[in-house]
Amino acid sequence: MKKIGLLLGLTLLVGCSAPSAQLKLSSDKENNRASSVSKSPTVSIPFKTRAQASQIEKMGADILEVQPGYLVAIVSPKVTRLLKEKGFTTTPVQVGNGQRNVFDKGYHTYASMVEELKSTVAKYPSICQLVDIGDSWEKTRGQADRDIWALKITGPSKGQKPNILFDANHHAREIVTTELAMKLISYLTTGYEKDAQVKNWVDTREIWIIPMNNPDGHIKAEKGLDWRKNTDSALSNDASFPPYGTGVDLNRNYPFHWGESASDNPSDPTFQGPGAFSEPETQAVRELFKQKKFAVSLFLHSYSNLVLYPWGYSADPTKDDARFAAVARKMASYNNYTPMPESQLYVCSGGSDDWAYGEMGAFSMTIEVGGRKDGFDPPYASMDRFWKENLPSFQLLLKIAHDPWKEKI
Ligand SMILES: [Zn+2]
């Protein structure tokens, strides 16, 4: 009887989707996953103050999206209980198509990304160099053989060139960001021979692209898991779904004001790690930054349709607030996203932008790609839209790389 009940539940869950999707959910593992999804629903939680939003994050809610006045999160039974105790209300909402990650076959896997990076270098050897900037956490433990790859794109001419970084996929399930980075690589390499503007940017800038900063986590997403952190299991090996307890939130692991406003509970979705730069994935970014002293960096996340800039750790404006706001507004005029400082939603510390700007002096921003209808796992066909709406922002950063603080926009 139990089995029949479960089967009926699954039929409801997959609704009218294609037979292959029903087949996909038929293994025992998937059955377990489906039943835990219903135990940990995706909900909207209203809040009145930024402090309350931070409080919700610290309770262990897996925050997918923050908007003025409310946030959307996956909540485990424990978090639901805590929220109730503190007087918060929760309303179920649908993100994406309502199913958790299905990983459309159009997306790159870690393996197909590496293959494409290598073939790009083979095709454009005069302007591309593939650099292994560090190991994934699993590689450091001898559990896998994954490197963090960066592609350097620059013309053969020597001379002073500003360095600019495009980084994707700190958060594993934010798989559209890897695709945007790969599209940017294709745009710059194929454009070098046929587009005078692209040729000029490539010749006069040193462009670095990290398409997959969190390869171990991406592998989890490739398996259909709604994974956010890396897979560091040293402090928490609670892989129950969702949210997955295992791992460190790489975007809370940077040292600028680390530990001030992020979770110190290893099982939380936003666990900051046992110390700043505790993870090989953030150490790789640190080492590259130290070498290249990037003038500009852009970190790609999803989703929320936002253009974000420092600070994240503090509600105070940076001394460069007017400039950040102007560039963010310009980007928002292209992609129709909402521009704001990261802390305007809620304060959190240990983010890459705060460190890249506050400690390394880069003009550093974040784009949260896509909206709630897209979620983390939209059909690959959505990539055309994401690319079209975000390319002008990438172009703007390339344009101002020589003098990001003053160049006319
Ligand atoms: Zn993210």
Side-chain angles (χ1 to χ4, degrees):
M1 278 307 284
K2 261 187 180 165
K3 241 183 182 167
I4 292 169
L6 195 58
L7 281 172
L8 278 173
L10 275 174
T11 312
L12 282 175
L13 188 81
V14 296
C16 315
S17 56
S20 61
Q22 294 189 26
L23 207 65
K24 199 177 167 234
L25 284 171
S26 65
S27 74
D28 280 353
K29 207 169 148 195
E30 295 294 341
N31 287 351
N32 289 338
R33 184 182 141 215
S35 69
S36 23
V37 166
S38 57
K39 279 188 214 146
S40 298
T42 304
V43 296
S44 159
I45 311 167
F47 62 83
K48 290 204 177 71
T49 62
R50 281 188 280 222
Q52 284 185 332
S54 301
Q55 190 187 3
I56 295 167
E57 175 177 306
K58 282 187 190 156
M59 283 178 197
D62 185 7
I63 296 177
L64 312 184
E65 173 190 353
V66 187
Q67 297 293 344
Y70 73 96
L71 53 81
V72 174
I74 300 174
V75 287
S76 66
K78 182 184 145 212
V79 174
T80 304
R81 203 183 60 240
L82 288 172
L83 285 165
K84 219 171 175 179
E85 278 170 20
K86 298 287 176 194
F88 291 102
T89 60
T90 58
T91 312
V93 291
Q94 180 168 319
V95 170
N97 63 5
Q99 290 180 28
R100 294 272 156 80
N101 201 342
V102 293
F103 200 72
D104 187 321
K105 293 291 173 254
Y107 287 92
H108 285 86
T109 60
Y110 173 74
S112 69
M113 175 203 69
V114 174
E115 201 177 305
E116 189 173 319
L117 291 174
K118 285 182 176 165
S119 69
T120 301
V121 174
K123 208 166 166 192
Y124 303 98
S126 65
I127 56 166
C128 289
Q129 189 191 345
L130 188 56
V131 182
D132 169 2
I133 60 164
D135 297 339
S136 74
W137 184 84
E138 288 181 30
K139 182 162 181 177
T140 65
R141 298 297 168 111
Q143 296 171 7
D145 186 20
R146 291 178 208 116
D147 295 306
I148 301 163
W149 293 102
L151 191 72
K152 176 175 114 176
I153 305 177
T154 193
S157 64
K158 300 275 178 270
Q160 197 78 14
K161 298 179 186 180
N163 298 324
I164 173 167
L165 173 68
F166 294 91
D167 178 286
N169 195 232
H170 265 61
H171 289 144
R173 64 192 169 192
E174 298 169 13
I175 53 177
V176 303
T177 63
T178 294
E179 303 308 315
L180 280 181
M182 295 304 283
K183 279 187 177 290
L184 181 59
I185 288 169
S186 169
Y187 168 78
L188 294 170
T189 50
T190 59
Y192 188 71
E193 282 154 9
K194 60 186 185 201
D195 182 327
Q197 178 61 77
V198 170
K199 184 175 187 324
N200 176 263
W201 283 329
V202 170
D203 280 338
T204 56
R205 285 122 175 89
E206 195 171 297
I207 304 161
W208 286 79
I209 300 172
I210 304 173
M212 199 182 285
N213 209 136
N214 180 6
D216 295 342
H218 197 275
I219 293 280
K220 299 285 189 192
E222 290 168 28
K223 291 177 179 161
L225 302 181
D226 217 338
W227 203 276
R228 172 184 171 92
K229 303 190 276 183
N230 73 352
T231 64
D232 181 347
S233 58
L235 289 170
S236 171
N237 201 7
D238 169 16
S240 57
F241 178 84
Y244 297 99
T246 303
V248 170
D249 185 341
L250 300 177
N251 207 32
R252 302 288 185 276
N253 193 236
Y254 287 84
F256 195 75
H257 290 263
W258 178 89
E260 285 186 10
S261 191
S263 173
D264 57 6
N265 177 353
S267 292
D268 279 354
T270 53
F271 175 47
Q272 62 194 355
F277 279 140
S278 58
E279 304 310 296
E281 291 85 358
T282 51
Q283 290 163 13
V285 176
R286 176 188 65 195
E287 294 311 308
L288 188 63
F289 243 98
K290 275 209 270 186
Q291 264 183 42
K292 303 317 299 185
K293 301 191 171 36
F294 292 105
V296 173
S297 51
L298 179 70
F299 294 90
L300 293 170
H301 287 255
S302 71
Y303 68 87
S304 283
N305 284 344
L306 295 170
V307 178
L308 299 170
Y309 50 93
W311 301 118
Y313 85 97
S314 163
D316 294 336
T318 67
K319 67 177 172 45
D320 297 301
D321 190 65
R323 176 64 176 178
F324 274 126
V327 175
R329 273 198 305 272
K330 187 80 178 176
M331 288 178 169
S333 75
Y334 304 134
N335 58 19
N336 219 13
Y337 295 179
T338 306
M340 64 175 75
E342 272 137 30
S343 58
Q344 191 165 323
L345 297 168
Y346 68 108
V347 169
C348 68
S349 56
S352 58
D353 271 336
D354 277 6
W355 171 77
Y357 166 67
E359 206 159 310
M360 304 305 286
F363 183 91
S364 192
M365 300 181 85
T366 287
I367 295 182
E368 293 271 3
V369 179
R372 190 178 313 152
K373 279 192 183 140
D374 304 305
F376 294 122
D377 185 38
Y380 187 77
S382 308
M383 284 311 305
D384 279 348
R385 170 167 49 93
F386 296 145
W387 173 246
K388 277 190 197 119
E389 66 191 16
N390 286 295
L391 173 61
S393 295
F394 302 161
Q395 291 169 325
L396 179 67
L397 292 179
L398 286 164
K399 177 177 173 242
I400 66 172
H402 271 286
D403 190 2
W405 305 106
K406 292 202 189 84
E407 168 109 29
K408 198 170 174 297
I409 53 168

